[in-house]
Amino acid sequence: MNWLLMLFISLLAVITILGSSSNTLRSLASSPPLPDIYTNYRKLREKAVADFSEIRSLSVGIVNPKELDLCGKESENFVPCYNVSANLQAGLQYGEEFDRHCELSRIGERCLARPPKDYKITLRWPAGKDVIWSGNVKITKDQFLSSGSMTKRLMLLEENQISFHSEDGAIVDGVKDYSRQIAEMIGLGSDMEFVQSGVRTVLDIGCGFGSFGAHLFSLKLMTVCIAAYEIFGSQVQLALERGLPAMIGSFVANQLPYPSLSYDIVHCAQCGISWHKKDGASLIEVDRVLKPGGYFVLTSPVTKSRGGGVNSKARNSLTFIEEFTKRICWSLLSQQEETFVWQKTAEISCYASRKPGDVPPLCKGEQDKQSYYQPLTSCISGTNSKRWVSIQSRPRWPTNYQLTPSDLKVHGVDADDYVEDSNYWKSAVKNYWSLLTPLIFSDHPKRPGDEDPLPPFNMVRNVMDMNAHYGGFNDALLEAGKSVWVMNVVPVRTSNSLPLILDRGFAGVLHDWCEPFPTYPRTYDMLHARGLLSHLVHNEGCNILDLFLEMDRILRPEGWVVICDKVQIIERARAITTQVRWDARMIELPSDNNQRLLVCQKPFLKK
Ligand SMILES: *[C@@H]1O[C@H](CO)[C@@H](O)[C@H](O)[C@H]1NC(C)=O
């Protein structure tokens, strides 16, 4: 009897303790400063209901928008603007037929890109870096069994998964040794010292399966992979599937869509470029995008042919590169086996020692022209730029992403404007993140007293800011500790802030949003567009439905869209979200009555 009584009392005690601690937990959970726009979803829901009746009354005059169907199976991996047969018919040749030519692509019927039959939602970062679903990418077994290059060998296939060696994988990871080798060739003790030595951004031309970039990422470097469009086994599609920065890009005829003086390292491991052709035009393009004091790393089987003898063609190509690089003020730092490291000069005076008539000459005249569909140049650019600062004498990452007043002066940006922008984003990110939950679309009342759980910090990985301005969204996401990377897109014909974004050590690109973006379907988790729609509607006159179809194409199933714009524009956009079959909610911003937020999620449609 006593014993039973004891048990009863202790049970009671346990219940009391548990109860009180859960109360404490609850009060703790609700005590941190809540987003200032709205405190919980209940309020939000009330707001949304009000919005809804408002929209209904507004859309009375609009013809009931029809939901679009999924396209056929052929659209599963469709990337517009890369139609080789159309390009050939138009007379393009010498590799230019593989280039991007939107003007030659006809606009097909309007439909939603269909996911492959075996498509599965990608694993969350960082697990998704090492394991992807094979049904999500277009690749055949033979393809990677036969793929021979160093950066391509690092994958194995298991049932329906492709796994890449993880950082602590038991199998010797060639990429780690390779990265250490490059660091040593630059004169560093190890690859841990890249950041200390002034390196932050890397342009990886033809990145294999992105493993080099994945390793550099762990060393706090930002590696952007570019590769030409490939129908099967695309390097860009694989890198993005793993959550690594990548885009389709090539410089056969045109410059890359980056300004001059953009990257700290340009890397090419058997990337398939004939550097000696066209009087070194490809090397001039590498020189253009390299920052002063930056490095060009080339790994290429130049010295030996397959049989072991000297490969004379490769030898000639190397001789050309060695001779040409001297003329453009690069110095060969080191050669080990098949890897070469050149350094671009940090001294403008180097060019002065060239004789008049030396080719290539320095570019004259306007230097900071936007490099969108600009033909490759045959002159050395960037030497007149205010941004000519060697990577060794700049502040190191992560100090350099907060711009100083003197940085802002170089970019012609008003300091107050910049600070205001930066503060805006800090609070906006807090608010956005709390909206990223299917709860905001749900009409089911929750249990009273329940606090709304915040989404996990790693629920999105590949983010695109479609109108990046100074990169403030990227900055705020970093500060908030989100495990994302951001493709900062600066639309053409807006104020050209891309050089500033790249100088902050972020990824960025110029783009014309009246055209498709050079990426594969289902490659981003979140698209963000502040002020983009009003810019496009007022200045560019492109079709917003086509823009939304393109956004739907590049968005992963269950991915998010956050649009902030003027009320009238958001109301129009809201109608289009019905056509593209997104869940959408319009949200008021108490801080600004003329603006609205449109939060959307793309559902995982199968038919
Ligand atoms: C590519 O171009 C050819 C020739 O103009 C055309 O027949 C074909 O339908 C195009 N393919 C796509 C996917 O647009």
Side-chain angles (χ1 to χ4, degrees):
M1 196 60 193
N2 266 350
W3 181 80
L4 260 179
L5 196 72
M6 276 294 284
L7 189 73
F8 182 65
I9 290 170
S10 19
L11 247 165
L12 214 69
V14 168
I15 288 169
T16 322
I17 290 165
L18 279 180
S20 70
S21 68
S22 79
N23 274 344
T24 339
L25 279 180
R26 192 168 299 153
S27 64
L28 270 179
S30 58
S31 61
L34 284 163
D36 44 320
I37 292 185
Y38 23 73
T39 43
N40 60 36
Y41 296 106
R42 213 162 325 112
K43 232 188 222 166
L44 189 65
R45 243 192 332 266
E46 283 158 21
K47 187 106 275 164
V49 170
D51 286 346
F52 184 60
S53 50
E54 194 181 313
I55 301 162
R56 230 184 354 202
S57 62
L58 268 166
S59 50
V60 165
I62 303 173
V63 188
N64 197 16
K66 195 172 153 287
E67 285 191 358
L68 291 166
D69 289 326
L70 290 184
C71 314
K73 197 170 155 30
E74 70 288 347
S75 77
E76 282 176 6
N77 291 287
F78 180 59
V79 182
C81 302
Y82 294 90
N83 185 335
V84 178
S85 46
N87 291 351
L88 284 169
Q89 271 176 24
L92 292 164
Q93 50 183 340
Y94 308 120
E96 288 184 33
E97 66 272 28
F98 301 108
D99 253 356
R100 175 182 166 88
H101 285 280
C102 298
E103 75 283 5
L104 298 174
S105 295
R106 70 192 167 86
I107 295 170
E109 63 168 324
R110 288 188 170 126
C111 54
L112 304 168
R114 172 189 293 276
K117 191 163 81 345
D118 302 326
Y119 188 85
K120 287 193 176 60
I121 300 294
T122 48
L123 304 176
R124 278 204 189 135
W125 182 267
K129 172 165 66 78
D130 299 319
V131 178
I132 63 172
W133 300 111
S134 48
N136 289 10
V137 292
K138 196 171 182 183
I139 187 164
T140 61
K141 214 168 195 167
D142 290 347
Q143 253 179 323
F144 64 84
L145 288 180
S146 65
S147 66
S149 88
M150 171 192 52
T151 43
K152 281 194 173 186
R153 240 181 270 132
L154 304 166
M155 55 191 284
L156 295 165
L157 191 68
E158 292 162 12
E159 284 183 69
N160 56 354
Q161 291 185 332
I162 297 170
S163 69
F164 304 84
H165 296 298
S166 60
E167 279 296 298
D168 47 14
I171 305 164
V172 177
D173 192 332
V175 161
K176 273 189 189 167
D177 295 337
Y178 178 62
S179 156
R180 205 171 306 134
Q181 181 192 359
I182 292 170
E184 282 164 12
M185 290 172 78
I186 286 175
L188 308 175
S190 83
D191 57 1
M192 310 282 275
E193 292 172 24
F194 273 132
V195 167
Q196 272 163 269
S197 73
V199 175
R200 157 70 184 169
T201 54
V202 181
L203 183 67
D204 195 5
I205 306 167
C207 56
F209 298 137
S211 295
F212 184 51
H215 175 65
L216 294 182
F217 184 83
S218 69
L219 304 172
K220 302 207 161 33
L221 303 193
M222 164 64 77
T223 306
V224 177
C225 165
I226 57 160
Y229 171 68
E230 296 159 291
I231 296 174
F232 283 102
S234 162
Q235 322 182 44
V236 169
Q237 190 184 33
L238 273 154
L240 285 162
E241 189 66 18
R242 299 179 70 182
L244 303 165
M247 58 174 272
I248 302 172
S250 57
F251 45 105
V252 178
N254 289 327
Q255 293 178 353
L256 292 165
Y258 314 122
S260 54
L261 317 181
S262 295
Y263 290 93
D264 304 328
I265 291 185
V266 175
H267 173 252
C268 155
Q270 302 178 8
C271 62
I273 290 175
S274 311
W275 298 103
H276 58 286
K277 295 225 174 109
K278 295 193 193 172
D279 303 322
S282 306
L283 286 169
I284 294 179
E285 178 62 359
V286 170
D287 179 76
R288 187 182 73 82
V289 298
L290 262 186
K291 284 188 186 291
Y295 307 96
F296 177 53
V297 180
L298 176 68
T299 294
S300 158
V302 278
T303 39
K304 292 200 191 83
S305 71
R306 275 209 194 109
V310 173
N311 180 342
S312 62
K313 219 164 126 199
R315 189 67 244 170
N316 288 344
S317 168
L318 184 65
T319 309
F320 176 87
I321 299 174
E322 283 174 329
E323 202 270 323
F324 193 85
T325 49
K326 279 187 205 134
R327 284 196 265 144
I328 56 174
C329 284
W330 291 6
S331 46
L332 180 62
L333 289 188
S334 176
Q335 180 203 349
Q336 280 181 18
E337 293 147 36
E338 300 180 339
T339 301
F340 298 76
V341 177
W342 283 272
Q343 183 173 30
K344 173 175 173 170
T345 186
E347 309 294 334
I348 292 205
S349 57
C350 175
Y351 302 106
S353 61
R354 294 153 43 95
K355 289 185 288 294
D358 267 0
V359 280
L362 299 188
C363 297
K364 292 196 186 78
E366 195 194 348
Q367 290 278 298
D368 288 330
K369 212 154 73 181
Q370 287 197 343
S371 48
Y372 199 68
Y373 291 138
Q374 290 294 315
L376 293 178
T377 57
S378 52
C379 57
I380 300 170
S381 41
T383 54
N384 300 334
S385 172
K386 286 191 206 132
R387 291 170 60 235
W388 183 283
V389 182
S390 78
I391 65 168
Q392 290 78 16
S393 57
R394 282 180 318 158
R396 305 297 185 243
W397 178 265
T399 316
N400 66 334
Y401 82 79
Q402 299 299 359
L403 298 179
T404 63
S406 69
D407 294 331
L408 295 172
K409 217 160 150 197
V410 166
H411 292 283
V413 168
D414 179 60
D416 292 339
D417 187 26
Y418 174 80
V419 170
E420 196 180 304
D421 186 70
S422 176
N423 289 340
Y424 169 85
W425 286 112
K426 303 253 151 74
S427 76
V429 158
K430 237 188 272 165
N431 297 326
Y432 286 2
W433 208 263
S434 66
L435 293 175
L436 303 186
T437 155
L439 275 177
I440 83 158
F441 309 117
S442 116
D443 290 322
H444 298 293
K446 287 181 301 169
R447 272 172 293 157
D450 277 4
E451 274 308 325
D452 303 293
L454 276 180
F457 80 101
N458 62 346
M459 74 170 303
V460 301
R461 170 66 188 166
N462 299 352
V463 174
M464 180 187 283
D465 190 354
M466 299 170 70
N467 186 21
H469 200 43
Y470 302 142
F473 185 48
N474 191 153
D475 173 8
L477 286 168
L478 264 179
E479 296 269 306
K482 307 295 182 199
S483 60
V484 302
W485 70 272
V486 182
M487 179 63 85
N488 292 285
V489 183
V490 174
V492 291
R493 295 179 290 274
T494 60
S495 71
N496 185 12
S497 54
L498 189 55
L500 179 150
I501 288 172
L502 293 164
D503 284 359
R504 299 182 81 175
F506 298 159
V509 67
L510 265 179
H511 184 64
D512 180 349
W513 278 117
C514 296
E515 291 180 355
F517 191 83
T519 190
Y520 288 82
R522 299 172 302 281
T523 38
Y524 286 88
D525 297 300
M526 182 178 176
L527 304 176
H528 174 264
R530 180 173 179 232
L532 178 69
L533 298 185
S534 46
H535 168 74
L536 293 179
V537 168
H538 296 310
N539 305 310
E540 309 276 332
C542 42
N543 186 312
I544 300 295
L545 174 58
D546 288 337
L547 176 73
F548 274 46
L549 279 173
E550 174 62 2
M551 289 164 72
D552 184 76
R553 185 184 71 86
I554 69 182
L555 198 61
R556 284 173 170 169
E558 299 187 2
W560 295 90
V561 177
V562 178
I563 301 174
C564 181
D565 222 306
K566 297 202 186 81
V567 182
Q568 303 83 354
I569 304 256
I570 290 288
E571 276 157 4
R572 276 165 67 186
R574 177 70 180 79
I576 300 176
T577 59
T578 316
Q579 282 177 280
V580 294
R581 297 160 74 177
W582 297 343
D583 288 328
R585 266 276 135 102
M586 196 160 92
I587 291 154
E588 272 183 31
L589 300 163
S591 56
D592 188 347
N593 229 351
N594 301 318
Q595 303 258 318
R596 291 283 185 280
L597 207 58
L598 190 62
V599 180
C600 318
Q601 190 178 29
K602 169 180 169 172
F604 186 176
L605 293 178
K606 292 183 178 155
K607 58 181 186 319

